Amino acid sequence: MAPGVMERLDPVPPEERTWGVFGFARLWVAMNINPLTLVLGSGLLNMGLSPGGVVGAAAAGAAVTLASLVANAWAGCQTGAPFPVYARAAFGTEGAKLVALVRGLVAIAYLGLQTWVGTLLLYYSVATAAPSILDSPRVSEYLNCAQLGIFVGFLLLHLLVLEMGMHRLGPLLKVTTVMEVGGLVGLVVMALLDAPPRESFAAMAQLGTGEAGAAAVVFPWGNGVNAMVSTWSTLVLNIVDLSRFSKSQRAQVVGQALGFPVSFVLMVACGMLVAASNFVKTGAVVWDLAPILYGHPPGFAIPVGVCMMVGVLDVNVVANMVSPGNDVANL
């Protein structure tokens, strides 16, 4: 292997293990504030869960996921080695290559999905000020030139952030987390202005017992918990690639416990609120944030869309690019 590849798989030396409690807490806050976490809340309402059932499923899923994250992160912190090396203990050198490759392919699929979600956020946000981009020449039936340009530009931004290196990821997250929290506050304000809270809560209950209803799903609450766990199931494996930078086991355990469950459940609840307020305002059941932003003024839609897009960037770089890079290096 080339020296650079070997260095990527080497254990992180103690002097480079700089992530503390707040670093891990900030990491999870930054990754949970993203549009797909919002979708979980509104989506589970449509499955037939009550608002309380959705929050309960989110809390149960967060507990299961947190236990798995902490347990798997232990090895990364203990050895400083990335997942492909850690996997050799169970699968052997050659077997670990296949396991890491499969894990990497899933992350790449999520990378494409998340990047498209971020593309649509910026596309519809900008369209509030420049509606003409909606009529851009079409590349295909489902894609126009404006969407393609935003998608490619967004991917290039990912590569620029990745090029900065892991040692600069912590300071970057300090900035992006503030942006994302600001965007989330904006969404909550939007929801409260779009509909009185009492009407939004009533709409949540209505959506939870709508036509989709509980009868449409054999066990809606169990499926809800499964949806919550599967949202971050790949990072249960990927966390080894991050915990290797932890100062101590305490840092990764306490940091993840502080950062993950609360922010996750709050985001799911915010997703229900945004969907319910939009339902009261428009009468339409919309689970995707991008078209909801399109119905608001540019001065609001563009800043919030950009802040939520930054959340997608954080998830992609941390969860869907760092780890596949290690997987490829292991080949």
Side-chain angles (χ1 to χ4, degrees):
M1 289 187 183
V5 173
M6 289 299 294
E7 290 173 7
R8 185 169 189 139
L9 298 179
D10 283 344
V12 176
E15 64 271 14
E16 294 182 18
R17 300 185 189 186
T18 58
W19 290 23
V21 170
F22 292 108
F24 278 96
R26 189 183 302 115
L27 172 75
W28 276 114
V29 171
M31 289 202 295
N32 274 329
I33 302 180
N34 78 81
L36 289 183
T37 312
L38 286 171
V39 167
L40 281 173
S42 54
L44 290 181
L45 280 177
N46 197 45
M47 282 176 56
L49 271 69
S50 66
V54 173
V55 172
V64 172
T65 305
L66 176 63
S68 303
L69 285 167
V70 167
N72 224 27
W74 196 273
C77 182
Q78 187 77 18
T79 65
F83 174 76
V85 175
Y86 164 53
R88 293 174 188 174
F91 300 99
T93 302
E94 296 303 317
K97 291 181 180 180
L98 177 60
V99 171
L101 182 60
V102 171
R103 190 275 305 256
L105 289 174
V106 173
I108 291 170
Y110 268 109
L111 171 66
L113 171 63
Q114 293 266 15
T115 304
W116 180 244
V117 169
T119 296
L120 291 181
L121 273 172
L122 188 59
Y123 175 72
Y124 280 106
S125 298
V126 171
T128 60
S132 59
I133 70 170
L134 298 175
D135 300 317
S136 298
R138 304 207 70 80
V139 178
S140 70
E141 183 181 356
Y142 303 103
L143 181 71
N144 65 31
C145 290
Q147 291 171 327
L148 179 61
I150 294 172
F151 184 84
V152 172
F154 195 27
L155 276 179
L156 292 176
L157 180 60
H158 285 70
L159 296 177
L160 177 63
V161 172
L162 198 62
E163 184 65 24
M164 293 170 59
M166 291 294 291
H167 62 289
R168 293 179 180 170
L169 185 59
L172 179 64
L173 285 174
K174 291 180 181 179
V175 176
T176 57
T177 302
V178 172
M179 293 180 65
E180 292 169 49
V181 171
L184 181 60
V185 171
L187 284 177
V188 172
V189 171
M190 175 195 77
L192 295 177
L193 293 177
D194 282 349
R198 180 176 298 179
E199 293 184 24
S200 294
F201 292 135
M204 287 184 202
Q206 182 181 348
L207 290 171
T209 56
E211 292 183 6
V217 182
V218 176
F219 186 22
W221 195 81
N223 281 328
V225 174
N226 183 61
M228 300 297 178
V229 173
S230 64
T231 301
W232 290 113
S233 58
T234 53
L235 205 65
V236 168
L237 299 178
N238 295 9
I239 194 65
V240 178
D241 294 313
L242 305 176
S243 64
R244 61 198 292 240
F245 296 95
S246 178
K247 291 180 179 179
S248 64
Q249 294 291 2
R250 177 184 177 276
Q252 68 91 0
V253 172
V254 177
Q256 294 197 89
L258 289 175
F260 178 72
V262 174
S263 63
F264 182 73
V265 174
L266 283 177
M267 280 298 292
V268 170
C270 285
M272 289 192 294
L273 177 63
V274 170
S277 65
N278 184 72
F279 178 72
V280 173
K281 179 183 178 181
T282 67
V285 180
V286 181
W287 53 267
D288 188 4
L289 179 60
I292 292 178
L293 287 179
Y294 181 61
H296 292 82
F300 174 85
I302 293 176
V304 171
V306 169
C307 289
M308 289 293 102
M309 190 178 179
V310 167
V312 174
L313 177 67
D314 281 344
V315 172
N316 273 347
V317 171
V318 175
N320 299 326
M321 296 184 78
V322 171
S323 295
N326 291 337
D327 298 336
V328 172
N330 188 54
L331 296 177

